[in-house]
Amino acid sequence: MDAFRLYARYVGVSLRGQMQYPGAFIATSVGAFASTVTDFVAIWALFARFRQVEGWRFEEIALFYGVISVAFALADGLTRGFDVFGEQFVKTGDFDRLLVRPRSTVLQLMGYELRATRIGRLGQGVLAWAIGARLSGIDWTWSAWGTLLFAVAGGVALFSGILVLQATLAFWTVESLEIANTLTYGGVEAAQYPLDLYARWFRNFLIFVVPLGCVSYFPVAAVLGHGDRTGVPEWIASLAPALGFAFLGLALVAWRFGVRKYTSTGS
Amino acid sequence: MRALLVPYLGVFRARFNLLLQYRAAALAGFGTQCWWGAIKIMVFAAFFRSAGATPMTLRQAVDYVWLGQAFLTLLPWSVDPEIARMVRTGDVAYERLRPLDTYAFWYARAVARRTATPLLRAVPMIVTAGIVLPLLGLPQWSLSAPAGLAAGALFFLSMILVIALSSAISTLMDIITVATLSDRGVNTLIGPLIIVFSGSLIPLPLFQDWLQPALRVQPFAGLLDIPFRIYGGHLADADALGGLARQAIWVGVLILLGRLFMGRTMAKLQAQGG
C-alpha cells in the first residue's frame, strides 16, 4: 500500500514538473497526435481504395488499431524510466543511487517520469476506437467491454515487458538498443491489422514469442463476432491477454537477474 | 570558379566524414527498416489479393516499399541540429561574418547530410531486399531490377533531383528555425507532412483518384513518389520526363524562396545569448 502512495507522489511531482511549461506540453501533445494519426490516415486511404481486405472492413481494422494504440500509449507513458535506462542510469552510474534506496528498483524506475505528452497518442487511439465501435455496430455488452479492457491491460503489460527487457539488456550493452523499437513501434504497426493477413511464420512469432496477437487479435476478433477466423474458441480468446502479464512476469525475472549481475560503470 | 567553390566543397567533405562515423546507429536502423518493410509488404499484399483492378501492380508496390526503406534517411526529417544549436546560443551571428554566401553554405551542409548517411544505409538494404531475399526463396517479396534500361537511367537522374530537393527543403527548415528562434515547431510539423505526402506512408497512386491531381503537383511527391514510380515503370516515357520536370521546378522554386526568406530573416536577425 505504501508503495502505491509513493508511486502516486512520483506521478504528482512528474506531472507538476511538466505543467510548468504548459505551452510546450500542449505543442508536444499535439505533435504526438499529428505524427501518430498518420497511421490511421493510411488505413483510411487503403480502405477508400480497396474497400475490404480479406473480408475485414474499415471499422473493424479501426477497432484493432484503437485497442493496440491505447495499450501502447499507456505503456509508453508509464515506462519512461526503462526506456532511457541505458543512457540515463547505466552509463552515468546513477543506477547505484537507486540500489541504495530502500525501495524496489522497478518502482523507482516507473516513477522516474510519467510522460503526459503521450496523451496525444492516446487521444488518436481512443478516436479510432470510437470510430470503429460506432461504425461496426457491436453490441456493447458488459462482457464485450470486459474483454476489450482486459485486452488493453494485457497490452500494457506486454509492451511494458518489452521495455523492461530492453532495459535489462542495457546492463550488458550500456547503451539502450534501438532494436527494441521493432517490437514496440513495430508491434503497434503489425498488430493494427488482423494477424490472418500475415505469413504463417510471422503470425506464429506474434502469437507464441511476443504475444501481441494474444492481447489484441484474438479478443478483438471475438468481440467483432469473427472468432471463427482466428480458429480459437471464444473463452480462450477472452483469456488470451493474460499472456501479456506472463510476458511481463518473465521480463521482471530477467530484470532481477540483470540487477544481480550489475557492475557499476563508476563515475 | 574553382577557388570560389573551395569553401563549399570543404564543408561538404568535413560533414560527410563526420556523418560516416555513426555505424552502430545505422546497423540498428537497418534491422528496424527490414522489419518495417516486411510488415508493409505483407499488408499491401493482403489488400492487393482482395481487390480486382489496382492502380499499380503489387510488384511495383513492393519495389516502392523497399526503395522507401533504403532511402529513408534521404528525406528532410529534421532541422540541422548544429544550426538549431547556433540559433539557440546566438552563434548564428558568426555565420553572417563569413565572407561566403550563407544560403549556399547551408545548402552545401544539407547536401552532405543528405548523402553520407543515406548512402551508407541504402546499400545493405538494397543488397538484402534485392539479392538475399530471392536467394532465401522469396522472390515475390524482393526488390526487382528497374523496369528497363531507360527507367534505370531516369531513376538515377531523379534521385539526384531528390537530393537537391531534399536539401532545398532542409535549408528552408533551417531558415524557419532562425526566424522562429526554435527548431521544435518545424521538426514537429515536417514529419507527418513528409510521411503522408511523399508516399512514405503508402504509395501515392493508392490514394483515391480524386486526390491524385493535388498529390501530383505538391513538392513532397518529388522526394520519393516520382523516382520510385519511374523505377517500377509506373511513370514511363513522357510521364517520367514530366516527373523529372516537376522535381526540377520545385527545386528551383524552393531555392528561390529560401534565398528570399533568408535575406529577409537575416536583415533583421536577432541573436540570442550573451
Side-chain angles (χ1 to χ4, degrees):
Chain A
M1 216 52 241
D2 185 42
F4 273 109
R5 231 188 2 247
L6 183 64
Y7 181 67
R9 280 203 62 156
Y10 272 129
V11 169
V13 169
S14 170
L15 286 182
R16 235 178 306 147
Q18 290 171 77
M19 291 311 162
Q20 295 302 306
Y21 301 94
F25 167 72
I26 292 170
T28 318
S29 303
V30 171
F33 182 88
S35 58
T36 48
V37 86
T38 54
D39 279 337
F40 197 53
V41 171
I43 294 175
W44 169 79
L46 286 172
F47 275 96
R49 165 69 68 189
F50 294 98
R51 299 287 153 215
Q52 52 92 22
V53 57
E54 316 238 303
W56 297 95
R57 286 168 298 140
F58 170 71
E59 53 269 30
E60 295 169 335
I61 304 295
L63 194 62
F64 279 107
Y65 177 82
V67 167
I68 203 72
S69 293
V70 166
F72 180 57
L74 291 174
D76 197 29
L78 292 173
T79 53
R80 174 76 171 160
F82 290 98
D83 195 14
V84 295
F85 184 69
E87 284 79 16
Q88 296 280 330
F89 290 94
V90 178
K91 208 170 172 183
T92 58
D94 274 358
F95 188 58
D96 300 7
R97 297 201 300 183
L98 264 55
L99 284 172
V100 297
R101 293 181 192 149
R103 296 287 175 185
S104 86
T105 51
V106 172
L107 176 71
Q108 295 183 59
L109 283 169
M110 272 177 60
Y112 170 71
E113 190 187 324
L114 182 93
R115 270 191 297 185
T117 53
R118 285 304 178 268
I119 197 151
R121 183 184 274 277
L122 186 68
Q124 62 98 26
V126 170
L127 190 71
W129 185 323
I131 292 173
R134 181 142 185 85
L135 293 181
S136 57
I138 305 172
D139 185 15
W140 283 104
T141 58
W142 285 108
S143 91
W145 270 113
T147 305
L148 287 191
L149 290 181
F150 187 49
V152 167
V156 173
L158 174 61
F159 284 123
S160 304
I162 294 170
L163 283 155
V164 169
L165 281 184
Q166 178 193 336
T168 305
L169 277 178
F171 284 125
W172 287 275
T173 61
V174 179
E175 296 264 352
S176 293
L177 286 185
E178 204 194 317
I179 206 79
N181 288 352
T182 52
L183 296 181
T184 51
Y185 293 94
V188 174
E189 183 83 14
Q192 58 187 255
Y193 289 101
L195 298 192
D196 43 279
L197 303 193
Y198 298 125
R200 179 166 293 280
W201 63 270
F202 193 65
R203 198 183 326 162
N204 287 339
F205 177 82
L206 291 181
I207 292 172
F208 298 112
V209 183
V210 182
L212 271 164
C214 298
V215 301
S216 76
Y217 176 54
F218 293 140
V220 176
V223 167
L224 286 169
H226 289 315
D228 50 315
R229 292 190 206 171
T230 61
V232 168
E234 191 165 335
W235 66 274
I236 294 189
S238 43
L239 287 180
L243 273 182
F245 291 98
F247 189 90
L248 176 61
L250 286 178
L252 286 173
V253 170
W255 168 257
R256 202 164 278 180
F257 177 74
V259 173
R260 264 213 306 279
K261 290 278 164 203
Y262 169 70
T263 41
S264 177
T265 52
S267 56
Chain B
M1 184 62 201
R2 208 183 132 65
L4 265 176
L5 278 178
V6 164
Y8 305 109
L9 288 176
V11 70
F12 176 83
R13 197 171 308 131
R15 299 278 307 163
F16 195 92
N17 286 336
L18 175 76
L19 291 167
L20 279 178
Q21 303 298 317
Y22 297 99
R23 271 168 228 177
L27 200 68
F30 172 69
T32 313
Q33 278 158 246
C34 287
W35 177 266
W36 226 262
I39 296 177
K40 277 201 143 153
I41 286 172
M42 284 189 271
V43 169
F44 286 155
F47 273 103
F48 276 78
R49 270 200 303 273
S50 322
T54 52
M56 67 198 303
T57 64
L58 180 59
R59 179 76 266 154
Q60 286 167 339
V62 169
D63 288 346
Y64 197 108
V65 169
W66 283 129
L67 290 172
Q69 295 302 322
F71 293 106
L72 191 72
T73 46
L74 206 62
L75 305 189
W77 294 110
S78 63
V79 171
D80 188 336
E82 186 64 16
I83 288 177
R85 189 196 58 78
M86 287 196 278
V87 170
R88 214 160 34 240
T89 59
D91 284 356
V92 66
Y94 295 124
E95 294 293 295
R96 301 304 289 159
L97 300 176
R98 297 183 207 280
L100 298 170
D101 177 61
T102 312
Y103 185 89
F105 194 63
W106 286 11
Y107 190 86
R109 288 178 66 98
V111 174
R113 189 155 170 247
R114 300 293 164 218
T115 39
T117 336
L119 292 184
L120 186 73
R121 286 201 168 188
V123 175
M125 193 76 242
I126 289 173
V127 169
T128 307
I131 299 172
V132 178
L133 281 184
L135 289 179
L136 286 175
L138 296 166
Q140 75 279 19
W141 282 22
S142 65
L143 173 68
S144 55
L149 207 58
L154 288 173
F155 169 73
F156 184 75
L157 284 180
S158 183
M159 287 308 287
I160 292 174
L161 284 168
V162 167
I163 294 171
L165 182 61
S166 180
S167 305
I169 295 175
S170 263
T171 314
L172 200 58
M173 286 157 58
D174 296 341
I175 301 166
I176 293 173
T177 302
V178 177
T180 60
L181 297 179
S182 163
D183 58 338
R184 193 177 267 169
V186 192
N187 279 342
T188 310
L189 279 179
I190 194 73
L193 279 180
I194 295 177
I195 289 180
V196 176
F197 294 110
S198 70
S200 173
L201 187 65
I202 62 169
L204 294 186
L206 295 187
F207 276 100
Q208 280 175 286
D209 291 330
W210 59 272
L211 283 168
Q212 292 302 325
L215 289 172
R216 197 157 32 234
V217 295
Q218 46 92 25
F220 297 105
L223 287 174
L224 199 154
D225 185 66
I226 294 173
F228 296 178
R229 279 162 71 186
I230 292 177
Y231 185 95
H234 194 262
L235 280 183
D237 308 326
D239 287 341
L241 292 176
L244 291 179
R246 269 178 284 144
Q247 281 182 299
I249 290 170
W250 272 116
V251 171
V253 168
L254 291 177
I255 287 182
L256 216 65
L257 208 69
R259 282 192 162 281
L260 216 72
F261 192 29
M262 179 169 253
R264 291 181 50 160
T265 307
M266 288 301 184
K268 47 182 180 189
L269 177 70
Q270 291 186 352
Q272 301 197 87

